[in-house]
Amino acid sequence: MSQPFKLHRLQQIDSQLDQVNNRLREIEITLSDNLPLREAKEKYSNTEVAYAAARKELRKAEEAVQSQRIKINQTESTLYGGKVRNPKELQDLQNESLALSRYLDVLEDRQLEAMIVLEQAELEHNISEQELNKTRVESEIQNQELRSEQRLLEQEKNRLEIERHAAASALLKDELQLYHQLRKIRQGVAVARVVDNCCSACGSTLSSAQLHAARSLNQIIRCDSCSRILYGGT
Ligand SMILES: [Zn+2]
């Protein structure tokens, strides 16, 4: 086996390893982040707060109506109790009773509004609770799928690492150094195939001398444009 072939083989393994590692990182992030579940929990807790606040508002409104009714009853019992006879005082009590009743209307309207707000808050709370439960189930299924994908990828990674070790040990120290240097500065691709007389990595057309040398596979030829190692084999 020629050196360009071995370098190309190493590149193939490393490219696969890069893919595996990228996917493993993605999975790790998705598993630890769990964004949909976090969002659903946050929404649920917001509606819980709103629901509790609406219940409190309704209680306050009900209490206000209740105490207004007590005031009206007290005024009316004084008015009709027979103890007050002075016409001026009676008139004042009459006026007060009317004013209290008018304000009762306002308080009852507020109570009604608070009931409507509470109904809406309860509805939203129920919906967000259902959504949270649904998201929990979906997220658990997704996490299980991701964890089994993760296990398969870890196996694949181990297999590739063994292959990589064998492929790298077939190369000379200088070749490996060049390869690693190119991987670092050329987005992980140190070895490019020759496809349609071009460097498949950067797309530049190769000279016929370069093509010939690359195809002969007996020396390391590099692309003039991107300086990657060219592999002219199939
Ligand atoms: Zn190139």
Side-chain angles (χ1 to χ4, degrees):
M1 272 189 296
S2 69
Q3 295 316 94
F5 177 84
K6 290 174 193 165
L7 281 160
H8 177 246
R9 181 67 201 126
L10 182 61
Q11 176 69 68
Q12 281 181 315
I13 297 166
D14 274 338
S15 296
Q16 284 179 55
L17 265 171
D18 288 346
Q19 266 182 19
V20 167
N21 285 325
N22 286 342
R23 182 62 190 146
L24 279 170
R25 265 194 296 278
E26 260 177 30
I27 291 174
E28 195 50 56
I29 290 167
T30 311
L31 283 174
S32 62
D33 190 40
N34 220 336
L35 188 63
L37 188 60
R38 263 199 299 136
E39 281 176 347
K41 277 182 181 167
E42 197 184 322
K43 203 171 165 195
Y44 174 72
S45 98
N46 288 342
T47 62
E48 204 170 33
V49 169
Y51 185 34
R55 282 202 304 268
K56 198 175 159 192
E57 276 306 306
L58 179 59
R59 254 199 319 277
K60 264 168 64 185
E62 283 169 348
E63 280 163 13
V65 166
Q66 200 55 36
S67 78
Q68 189 70 5
R69 283 186 183 138
I70 291 169
K71 274 187 213 164
I72 292 169
N73 281 343
Q74 284 167 347
T75 310
E76 285 182 349
S77 42
T78 316
L79 183 60
Y80 303 116
K83 282 184 185 165
V84 179
R85 304 241 160 109
N86 181 321
K88 168 77 173 79
E89 269 183 58
L90 284 171
Q91 186 58 52
D92 285 350
L93 279 169
Q94 183 83 45
N95 290 344
E96 196 187 331
S97 171
L98 280 172
L100 288 169
S101 294
R102 273 197 298 275
Y103 192 53
L104 177 65
D105 288 344
V106 173
L107 292 173
E108 281 174 344
D109 283 348
R110 282 184 198 163
Q111 185 185 354
L112 188 65
E113 278 165 27
M115 280 165 78
I116 294 166
V117 169
L118 178 64
E119 269 176 31
Q120 187 60 32
E122 188 179 8
L123 182 71
E124 279 167 18
H125 182 251
N126 288 343
I127 292 171
S128 75
E129 190 175 16
Q130 284 166 12
E131 277 171 3
L132 176 60
N133 290 335
K134 189 168 154 255
T135 310
R136 272 211 177 96
V137 173
E138 284 170 355
S139 160
E140 194 38 52
I141 294 169
Q142 192 206 34
N143 289 356
Q144 276 173 12
E145 284 170 0
L146 286 175
R147 277 191 285 267
S148 65
E149 188 186 349
Q150 203 176 31
R151 279 191 294 275
L152 290 175
L153 287 169
E154 291 291 354
Q155 288 170 11
E156 173 80 349
K157 186 177 167 171
N158 288 342
R159 187 186 65 76
L160 286 168
E161 273 168 355
I162 293 165
E163 268 189 53
R164 188 193 191 281
H165 183 74
S169 56
L171 288 160
L172 299 173
K173 197 178 162 214
D174 286 355
E175 293 165 345
L176 271 177
Q177 210 170 4
L178 171 67
Y179 173 82
H180 286 134
Q181 210 180 345
L182 286 169
R183 279 255 296 161
K184 207 180 280 177
I185 58 166
R186 289 286 176 257
Q187 293 85 43
V189 182
V191 183
R193 294 180 74 97
V194 176
V195 177
D196 295 334
N197 302 339
C198 294
C199 163
S200 64
C202 73
S204 71
T205 308
L206 306 170
S207 69
S208 50
Q210 266 188 317
L211 275 174
H212 181 76
R215 282 188 179 132
S216 72
L217 292 179
N218 51 23
Q219 55 177 315
I220 293 174
I221 299 296
R222 294 170 63 183
C223 171
D224 284 340
S225 301
C226 69
S227 70
R228 288 184 177 93
I229 298 160
L230 293 167
Y231 176 65
T234 48

